[in-house]
Amino acid sequence: MRIDILTLFPGMFPPVLDASILGRAQANNILEVHCFDLRDWTHDFHRTVDDEPYGGGPGMVMLVEPLANAIEDIQARDPRPAHTIFFTPAGTPLKQARAHELSEEFERLLLVCGHYEGIDERAYEWADEEISIGDYVLTGGELPALVLIDAVARLLPGVLGHEESAVDESFVEGLLEYPQYTRPAEFRGMVVPDVLLSGHHANIAAWRKAKAQERTRSRRPDLLD
């Protein structure tokens, strides 16, 4: 999968994308990431990307012209059409199911990171999808872009060490994941449940399912609804 990122702060991405699993995915040619600086599509001395909002109000609004020109130029750099995603609080909340769909349906994504007070509404004509990562406001779209890249890339075949890791986890079946334990079997009086030490796979599976339901009912009852 190829992921293009349009941002005012391309330096925010390499420290995360070049590390750990995402770094290995790129080294193994499973994931291809390109960062583009929106200011490269400006034409004035100050490389202006924003202006005061019509109608007044606080903050600055990102200009439609450099955004439109950048998106069209980046789209043309690869024959595969890019599914273009804008990050905005008004977007559809990102769920695990959508991350799966994005990993399976598209060979290429173009992530547009807004900043300042917002984006000129006309720029959304170039968006295929608008996504939100939660009901809170951030300073820009860079962190949401990193969240989406991590959520999608780990689902690509060959990225995770064990393919089951992407299946047996929270939200895949609408439940939170069951509790996990590893060595030692006893630590400061806290012990691993006997069933996990029994080697009885059917009993272990039943225990995990029950615990997943119990945890979801206690912590995220909205998922059961």
Side-chain angles (χ1 to χ4, degrees), residues 96 167-176 209:
Q96 184 69 19
V167 178
D168 190 17
E169 59 188 6
S170 293
F171 305 116
V172 172
E173 294 184 355
L175 299 173
L176 298 180
K209 182 176 182 180

Side-chain angles (χ1 to χ4, degrees), residues 76-97:
R77 298 188 181 208
D78 192 290
R80 295 169 292 180
H83 182 72
T84 303
I85 298 173
F86 281 49
F87 297 100
T88 166
T92 302
L94 179 62
K95 304 289 186 181
Q96 184 69 19

